[in-house]
Amino acid sequence: MVEAARQYYLQDVSKVQIAANLGLSRFKVARLLEAARAQGIVTIEIHDGGLPVPELADELSRVLRLRRAVVIEAPEEGEEARRLVGAAAATMLGETLREGEVVGMAWGRTLTAMSASMPPLPRVDVVQLTGAVGGDLEASPVEVVRRIALRSGGTATPIFAPLVVDDPRAAEALRRQHDVARALRMFDTVTTAVVAVGSWDPPASQLWSALEPSERERLQDEGVRAEVTAILVSDSGEVLAPRFAERCIAIHADQLRRVPRVVAVAGGREKARAVAAIARAGLCTELVTDRSLAETVLEHAGDRAAL
């Protein structure tokens, strides 16, 4: 059985020739090969991670009213899923960005993975769209902006400030700082923004994790279900919590809606509800995602509670 399997699967020998080599009938060889798979002597894996699923992409863009969607095969969760979705976004941007653009970059684990896979880009300038959360330098928006600027040869304009501060007056003072103000002035010139999507129900958001439990519970009670660049959104797509926005160093909802092209990058079925909310809010024009998120959105299209 093993010898027949070795010749057939590894040496690409025909069943007729194997029968002659082993002194068996070709019917006996066929039964041995079937038994080898049934007993686990031979196992077959299909490595489809990262392959596009165009029929799902077309349906998803129609349901969410997007200009474009990219859907790939990926594991349902984990670092490998983020890596594959990030790589798909990097490939798409490498094919579609044009020289002279101003690219606005948000932050998130999938965008960090995207920046690590970014191919050489035409010369574009890159600006950070939000302040930073947490102390992981590798995953900070400053590092994401730096990596992408290096791939294009353009300028990088970071924001060396926290995303959320305790008081609106402190946020306003930070916005007046020279380097921060320079980045904020660039927001109205952004031609392509790339953003991650955070889910608040179920929780899958670095911003959600960074807030005090009492504050995030209060915001959830107000109806927050999703977040993009610290813009908090309800299931219906309504932008919520204006007082919270006053404490954030980030692009505003009206500014993001004016960007000609906003590419959301997110994967995993747990973010399906959030992605649908962000699309309803008009805060993205394109989406790069995986099969599990796409199928969940399509399965519950029109049923916000089910998402």
Side-chain angles (χ1 to χ4, degrees), residues 106-170:
W107 59 284
R109 289 173 294 181
T110 307
L111 297 190
T112 300
M114 181 195 77
S115 69
S117 299
M118 193 64 67
L121 299 172
R123 185 178 177 86
V124 298
D125 295 327
V126 188
V127 60
Q128 189 174 323
L129 295 180
T130 74
V133 169
D136 185 352
L137 295 179
E138 183 72 14
S140 76
V142 174
E143 178 64 11
V144 171
V145 166
R146 185 190 72 85
R147 284 180 177 176
I148 294 174
L150 285 174
R151 300 304 287 164
S152 76
T155 63
T157 304
I159 297 177
F160 294 105
L163 174 58
V164 185
V165 295
D166 293 335
D167 185 273
R169 290 171 296 181

Side-chain angles (χ1 to χ4, degrees), residues 181-222:
R182 180 162 61 96
L184 299 184
R185 287 194 297 270
M186 289 185 67
F187 288 173
D188 289 331
T189 70
V190 171
T191 55
T192 296
V194 185
V195 301
V197 178
S199 170
W200 282 49
D201 185 15
S205 161
Q206 290 177 281
L207 175 60
W208 183 92
S209 300
L211 296 178
E212 292 293 330
S214 59
E215 179 165 37
R216 66 195 187 206
E217 288 169 10
R218 175 180 60 80
L219 291 169
Q220 283 181 302
D221 288 343
E222 292 178 19

Side-chain angles (χ1 to χ4, degrees), residues 242-266:
R243 296 186 66 181
F244 176 81
E246 292 174 359
R247 296 164 41 210
C248 296
I249 311 299
I251 191 169
H252 297 153
D254 289 342
Q255 289 176 303
L256 189 59
R257 287 187 179 119
R258 289 197 295 269
V259 175
R261 181 188 186 203
V262 181
V263 180
V265 184

Side-chain angles (χ1 to χ4, degrees), residues 50 70-72 83-93 114 117 288-289:
V70 174
V71 178
I72 63 161
R83 185 189 70 78
L84 289 170
V85 173
T91 298
M92 191 259 278
L93 290 171
M114 181 195 77
S117 299
V288 181
T289 190

